Amino acid sequence: MPAPQRILVINPNSNDAVTRGLAAALAPLARPGGPAIDCRTLAEGPFGIESQADVERVALPLRDLVLREQAAATVIACYSDPGLHACREATDRPVLGIAECGVLTALARADRFGVIAISRRSIPRHQRALRGMGVIGRCAGERALEMSVAETASGGDTLARMIAVGRELRDRDGAGAIVMGCAGMAAHRGPLEAELGLPVIDPTQAAVAMALGMVAVG
Amino acid sequence: MPAPQRILVINPNSNDAVTRGLAAALAPLARPGGPAIDCRTLAEGPFGIESQADVERVALPLRDLVLREQAAATVIACYSDPGLHACREATDRPVLGIAECGVLTALARADRFGVIAISRRSIPRHQRALRGMGVIGRCAGERALEMSVAETASGGDTLARMIAVGRELRDRDGAGAIVMGCAGMAAHRGPLEAELGLPVIDPTQAAVAMALGMVAVG
Amino acid sequence: MPAPQRILVINPNSNDAVTRGLAAALAPLARPGGPAIDCRTLAEGPFGIESQADVERVALPLRDLVLREQAAATVIACYSDPGLHACREATDRPVLGIAECGVLTALARADRFGVIAISRRSIPRHQRALRGMGVIGRCAGERALEMSVAETASGGDTLARMIAVGRELRDRDGAGAIVMGCAGMAAHRGPLEAELGLPVIDPTQAAVAMALGMVAVG
Amino acid sequence: MPAPQRILVINPNSNDAVTRGLAAALAPLARPGGPAIDCRTLAEGPFGIESQADVERVALPLRDLVLREQAAATVIACYSDPGLHACREATDRPVLGIAECGVLTALARADRFGVIAISRRSIPRHQRALRGMGVIGRCAGERALEMSVAETASGGDTLARMIAVGRELRDRDGAGAIVMGCAGMAAHRGPLEAELGLPVIDPTQAAVAMALGMVAVG
Amino acid sequence: MPAPQRILVINPNSNDAVTRGLAAALAPLARPGGPAIDCRTLAEGPFGIESQADVERVALPLRDLVLREQAAATVIACYSDPGLHACREATDRPVLGIAECGVLTALARADRFGVIAISRRSIPRHQRALRGMGVIGRCAGERALEMSVAETASGGDTLARMIAVGRELRDRDGAGAIVMGCAGMAAHRGPLEAELGLPVIDPTQAAVAMALGMVAVG
Amino acid sequence: MPAPQRILVINPNSNDAVTRGLAAALAPLARPGGPAIDCRTLAEGPFGIESQADVERVALPLRDLVLREQAAATVIACYSDPGLHACREATDRPVLGIAECGVLTALARADRFGVIAISRRSIPRHQRALRGMGVIGRCAGERALEMSVAETASGGDTLARMIAVGRELRDRDGAGAIVMGCAGMAAHRGPLEAELGLPVIDPTQAAVAMALGMVAVG
């Protein structure tokens, strides 16, 4: 009997609370008989990924983990998609980045999407990635919460701030769907969607859904 | 107790054999406890959708079916994405087109993708759609089998022809992933992937995987 | 002696007042000895085309009319260009959409153009079309009157509102020419142009001018 | 009584035979009661415009002529659109370039167009112009006759060569319409269209048709 | 012994004060043993280049000067890049336009750049050039000082105005580097950079640096 | 007296022969009194950078070196531009990648450029980078030598192979300039340029020239 298939979801920062949040956000996607959704903390990761240096720091550890684990598919659960291309090079199995999958899923819901970023300084990095993906023409705008990752994880004000930013993306920029530009915002997805009246995409959920499909069809 | 959720997959042509093929292709995606994957033939559809007139003919019947069925999500299982925008207008729930989702899924697997079309005359329609999606910059090329839908469904030569076309997309055009540009080719996905050594995307499977994710997270 | 050539201009909604308005707007383009400009109401059309469903509804009736009439050229006089590709498929003779032709004509007058839409909800549809046309890079912006088609037809305030919106397109968005995003605004073209000091394009006039040229040269 | 309106069509080279050819090509567009179509040779022009230096040489003489003539609209009848922006700056009335209008008209006939150039060295200049127009994404390809302007004007082999090049644009590049990339090819338009089975655009005819429309509506 | 190599920097307007300013701005780039940087006033130029007609006026005189001087490389020191393609056609040696080189250099410093223009009316000309260069997707915005060239040259308020405009480009438009859109602003480069905290590019310095490199490697 | 300024050129692989080759290629750019051009081998680098993993491996060591050295400007001398964005984040001084600068310099020489890559597998990585740069529309094509880095460094056949590939880029793809897609090909630049009759860009020379300009003007 073959071992059951498994989707490896890697939190590239070393904050276990984020990993637990991912597991909770992904629980609705798991099904009996389907692949396990295995959320892991990258031990070598920094506590948060907030700079390009942090992105580079985790690339090879991620690749090593992908090689070691031999999961049916891997999701890199950080909105900077660190190490994505190095990991892809290391395996023929699917390796998905949540920024890519969040955006691709938004493209299936609306003409143009907006992105809620944590901080303003990550926006040029995201925009460069959207150009690299060749989809920047459908980005209505990207706006930042201007909160630290820690604040967004804990603070009660996060949802209010997300709603305010989401309204600007919808009303000023013309976004028809919203991508949450961080791995740790899933708990706010439903309330934000209800408040804005637009599809709101949690990128990790989007990536795992795509991974489940790829694994299921072999 | 709420009725179990259901994903409606509509074959817009009236060929029940195609619908049965869809059901077989999608069976690996279904999970106990998960949404039902309900494949339907559009009674009003033509026997095959091979022209823009065919595309137009089914748009409103599709929209009517979407409205009537009130599924948790709907997938329009024809590579021309007929009626997609009319159906989206009729509901806030996800309505996915397989051409869009097949391409979006390919974008998560390789830098540039190729499309295998059934016939040459559909290529300008597909290219226009890719431009409308804003992703044409990542299309390495599109090449046609030059077979009728009926031939591709029945003929034993189909796989051989797909392999030949897939090799041209890979070797001449530089495609790193292949999208099968038709709803009825799923049975060839695995063998074609094995032969080409590239990810091959069945667009209906891709769309249903995305729909399952959207429904699961609410 | 051959029957004189004829350009068929179809108003896809069933509002005869709109058709009469088209005829008036096009009268200056007609010349003795030249093709007749034959304005028709599509009997099967809804009273106004305000949704994607309306767009789909008229596609095949338009195609049928094109086939039946065998005009030298056909203009579909609705800014959503309904049925355009289905009609083109049905004949080798020119079939022109007014949205396409209005925009193409604007491109011959200024570096970037702005569009005055009737309602905000049609903007994503128009933007998708501009992307599909591959010319969105020259769209400075699109802004809506936020009036119903009926209001724009009758209301004395329409011109004032168009001037206000046109100024925003010119001064905030940098538009160097304005496309009126509706078939029924031709009466305002001259006054709006005078007020804004920019070329203002009535899309139906633009399309018929192009059709006249195509017919004249054979 | 106002003087009848007039469209000035300027041949920027000093070859009167070309100007006479233009007049012949445009005769079918003229109508009693409509604007006169006044074809002029630019006295200061070189015998042919075959280089960027030739393009620059005629820019200001063209602008001077536009200022002096005060026509209702002006068409610059050279496929390099020399002096176009300088002439536009000199008047609020329409000034149209035939390359721009030929391409814009092709965009109303097919998904992608091909261009038949006279010589290979003009292709980068044309491509730069298409990028500047923002429409290069719809250019299927451009291929050269590799004949001199003089040869194309006189030689009996020109049509055969155009057909060969047009077939390559259609069959290898996927062009759905052809733009003749020169002001002096109009006599071949009909036969080429018949042979290729695709719309073939003479750019001067296209530009004058658009000019007629602009003048007619004021 | 070969004559020492020389880079010809042509000020296409006839204002010698501008030429002297160029020489001062370029002095830091000159090195003993390296090519001479020879700044020249185009005698035939207008006093300032403020229109497309001015641009056209100097194209052939520039080309003649390039041919006559046979410098190792030539820089056309006007932000409209007048005559650039005509000059390139006249020689196989490098001919560089400062607008092109200023923008290209900015692309090596930041994700998106902003341009400070002298006057609003030049913006469409610049935007068309950026589209022609194929790099418009990285232009965050362009904003005008709304001063005459003379005012910018003399006025003490110029720097204050540049800082205000630069802040808008940085804070509203998201520019990460600034290109000064004029040949005569070099004296303000340092102070503006210090004030904005972003790289500020003087386009003539950028072009001469590139020219020095081309000449040095042969 | 201030310490003389210095441009740090880092060879990210640990092959000292490559570093010596860089020093030789850059010697013509150095001038008495100008900044020193200081070529260094990255001790931590692999012997060659041939994969995405190699790219990731050197990113942080490069950043550390940039921080430690505090050069006036830094050039990363590998055509994959490893660590570029991490290094830029670490300093306000210019950090230039040779792929970026090679391409930007080519854009100042011809309408479209071609790239000679070492191996076919690096092409998708390069194409993604060109899309990220927003300049892919000007890439005529990229073709591979299909030699190892070691072979290109030593083999006498390298130039012959480069000429063959360069001719294909010129004649089939329409390239008007050639970028050598590797840090170690500078010795072939001159002969290749002479053979092809097109500008050939060595990307390290291009980057150092831009760096020299940035340092000179402060």
Side-chain angles (χ1 to χ4, degrees), chain D residues 28-120:
Chain D
L29 289 160
R31 298 288 168 208
I37 298 174
D38 180 6
C39 296
R40 296 282 187 91
T41 302
L42 185 72
E44 298 91 334
F47 194 72
I49 293 192
E50 302 191 0
S51 67
Q52 186 69 35
D54 291 336
V55 169
E56 308 288 357
R57 186 163 292 127
V58 297
L60 290 181
L62 282 167
R63 179 175 173 278
D64 292 344
L65 191 57
V66 166
L67 277 171
R68 209 157 58 223
E69 289 289 328
Q70 294 289 328
T74 302
V75 169
I76 299 174
C78 164
Y79 199 76
S80 296
D81 287 350
L84 181 60
H85 298 290
C87 292
R88 281 187 182 153
E89 194 181 68
T91 174
D92 286 338
R93 299 183 187 177
V95 181
L96 304 179
I98 67 168
E100 283 196 4
C101 292
V103 166
L104 296 171
T105 298
L107 295 183
R109 296 302 302 278
D111 192 58
R112 291 194 301 153
F113 63 92
V115 180
I116 300 178
I118 302 289
S119 85
R120 189 171 177 150

Side-chain angles (χ1 to χ4, degrees), chain D residues 117-172:
Chain D
I118 302 289
S119 85
R120 189 171 177 150
R121 69 192 278 234
S122 60
I123 294 181
R125 191 162 73 231
H126 296 168
Q127 296 286 304
R128 189 173 67 234
L130 290 176
R131 269 204 314 275
M133 287 180 68
V135 302
I136 200 165
R138 291 183 68 189
C139 179
E142 175 160 3
R143 291 175 183 267
L145 298 179
E146 292 298 357
M147 305 172 86
S148 71
V149 172
E151 282 176 323
T152 59
S154 65
D157 298 337
T158 305
L159 179 59
R161 184 82 188 103
M162 292 179 83
I163 291 170
V165 169
R167 282 181 180 150
E168 291 188 338
L169 289 167
R170 180 190 67 189
D171 297 336
R172 293 202 192 171

Side-chain angles (χ1 to χ4, degrees), chain F residues 71-198:
Chain F
T74 302
V75 169
I76 298 174
C78 165
Y79 200 76
S80 295
D81 286 350
L84 180 60
H85 297 289
C87 292
R88 281 187 181 153
E89 193 181 70
T91 175
D92 285 341
R93 298 183 187 174
V95 182
L96 303 179
I98 66 167
E100 284 195 5
C101 293
V103 165
L104 295 172
T105 298
L107 295 183
R109 298 301 304 278
D111 192 58
R112 291 194 302 154
F113 64 91
V115 180
I116 300 179
I118 302 287
S119 85
R120 191 171 175 151
R121 68 192 279 234
S122 61
I123 293 180
R125 190 163 73 234
H126 296 168
Q127 296 287 304
R128 187 173 68 235
L130 290 175
R131 271 204 312 274
M133 287 180 67
V135 301
I136 201 165
R138 291 183 67 189
C139 179
E142 176 162 1
R143 292 175 182 266
L145 298 179
E146 291 300 356
M147 304 172 87
S148 70
V149 172
E151 282 175 322
T152 58
S154 66
D157 298 338
T158 305
L159 178 59
R161 184 82 188 103
M162 292 180 84
I163 291 169
V165 169
R167 282 181 180 149
E168 290 187 338
L169 290 166
R170 181 191 65 190
D171 297 336
R172 293 203 193 171
D173 300 332
I178 303 293
V179 179
M180 301 195 298
C182 179
M185 294 172 170
H188 300 304
R189 201 199 64 76
L192 184 60
E193 185 167 282
E195 195 67 39
L196 297 177
L198 297 182

Side-chain angles (χ1 to χ4, degrees), chain A residues 2-210:
Chain A
Q5 286 180 305
R6 185 172 54 105
I7 290 171
L8 179 65
V9 179
I10 313 177
N11 170 20
N13 68 48
S14 57
N15 183 342
D16 278 324
V18 170
T19 313
R20 285 192 300 271
L22 292 173
L26 298 171
L29 289 161
R31 299 288 170 207
I37 299 174
D38 181 6
C39 295
R40 295 283 188 90
T41 303
L42 184 73
E44 298 90 336
F47 194 71
I49 293 191
E50 302 191 1
S51 67
Q52 187 68 35
D54 292 335
V55 169
E56 308 287 358
R57 187 163 289 129
V58 297
L60 290 181
L62 283 167
R63 181 175 173 276
D64 292 343
L65 191 57
V66 165
L67 277 170
R68 210 156 59 223
E69 289 289 329
Q70 293 289 327
T74 301
V75 169
I76 298 174
C78 164
Y79 199 77
S80 296
D81 286 350
L84 181 60
H85 297 290
C87 292
R88 281 187 182 154
E89 193 181 67
T91 176
D92 285 341
R93 299 184 187 174
V95 181
L96 303 180
I98 66 167
E100 283 196 5
C101 292
V103 165
L104 295 171
T105 298
L107 295 182
R109 298 302 303 279
D111 192 59
R112 292 194 301 154
F113 63 91
V115 180
I116 300 179
I118 302 287
S119 86
R120 189 169 176 153
R121 68 192 279 234
S122 60
I123 293 180
R125 190 163 72 233
H126 296 168
Q127 297 287 304
R128 188 173 68 235
L130 290 175
R131 269 204 313 274
M133 289 180 66
V135 301
I136 201 166
R138 290 183 66 189
C139 178
E142 177 162 2
R143 291 175 183 265
L145 297 180
E146 290 299 356
M147 305 172 84
S148 70
V149 173
E151 282 175 325
T152 59
S154 65
D157 298 338
T158 305
L159 178 59
R161 185 82 188 102
M162 293 180 83
I163 291 169
V165 169
R167 283 182 179 148
E168 290 187 340
L169 289 166
R170 181 190 66 191
D171 298 336
R172 292 203 193 170
D173 298 333
I178 303 292
V179 179
M180 301 195 299
C182 179
M185 294 172 170
H188 300 306
R189 202 199 64 77
L192 184 59
E193 185 167 283
E195 193 68 38
L196 296 178
L198 297 182
V200 175
I201 315 294
D202 175 71
T204 316
Q205 293 174 333
V208 170
M210 293 176 81

Side-chain angles (χ1 to χ4, degrees), chain C:
Chain C
M1 197 187 84
Q5 286 182 304
R6 186 173 52 105
I7 291 171
L8 179 66
V9 179
I10 314 176
N11 169 22
N13 69 48
S14 57
N15 184 341
D16 277 326
V18 170
T19 313
R20 286 192 299 272
L22 292 173
L26 298 170
L29 290 160
R31 298 288 168 208
I37 299 173
D38 180 6
C39 295
R40 294 283 189 92
T41 302
L42 184 74
E44 299 91 335
F47 194 71
I49 294 192
E50 301 191 0
S51 67
Q52 186 69 36
D54 292 336
V55 169
E56 308 287 357
R57 187 164 289 127
V58 297
L60 290 181
L62 283 167
R63 180 176 173 275
D64 292 344
L65 191 57
V66 165
L67 277 170
R68 209 157 59 223
E69 290 289 328
Q70 294 290 325
T74 302
V75 170
I76 299 175
C78 165
Y79 200 78
S80 296
D81 285 350
L84 180 61
H85 297 289
C87 291
R88 281 186 182 155
E89 195 182 65
T91 175
D92 285 340
R93 299 184 187 174
V95 181
L96 304 179
I98 66 167
E100 283 196 4
C101 293
V103 165
L104 295 171
T105 298
L107 295 183
R109 298 301 303 278
D111 191 59
R112 291 195 302 154
F113 63 91
V115 181
I116 299 179
I118 302 289
S119 86
R120 190 170 176 151
R121 70 192 278 232
S122 61
I123 292 179
R125 190 162 73 231
H126 296 168
Q127 296 286 303
R128 190 172 66 236
L130 289 176
R131 269 203 315 274
M133 287 179 68
V135 300
I136 200 166
R138 291 183 67 189
C139 179
E142 176 161 2
R143 293 176 181 266
L145 298 179
E146 291 298 359
M147 305 172 85
S148 70
V149 172
E151 282 176 323
T152 58
S154 65
D157 299 337
T158 305
L159 179 59
R161 184 82 188 102
M162 293 180 83
I163 291 169
V165 168
R167 282 181 179 150
E168 290 187 338
L169 290 166
R170 182 190 66 190
D171 297 336
R172 293 202 193 173
D173 299 332
I178 302 292
V179 179
M180 301 196 297
C182 178
M185 293 172 171
H188 301 305
R189 202 200 63 77
L192 184 60
E193 185 166 283
E195 194 67 39
L196 297 178
L198 298 181
V200 175
I201 315 293
D202 175 71
T204 316
Q205 293 174 333
V208 170
M210 292 175 82
L212 283 164
M214 293 170 193
V215 169
V217 301

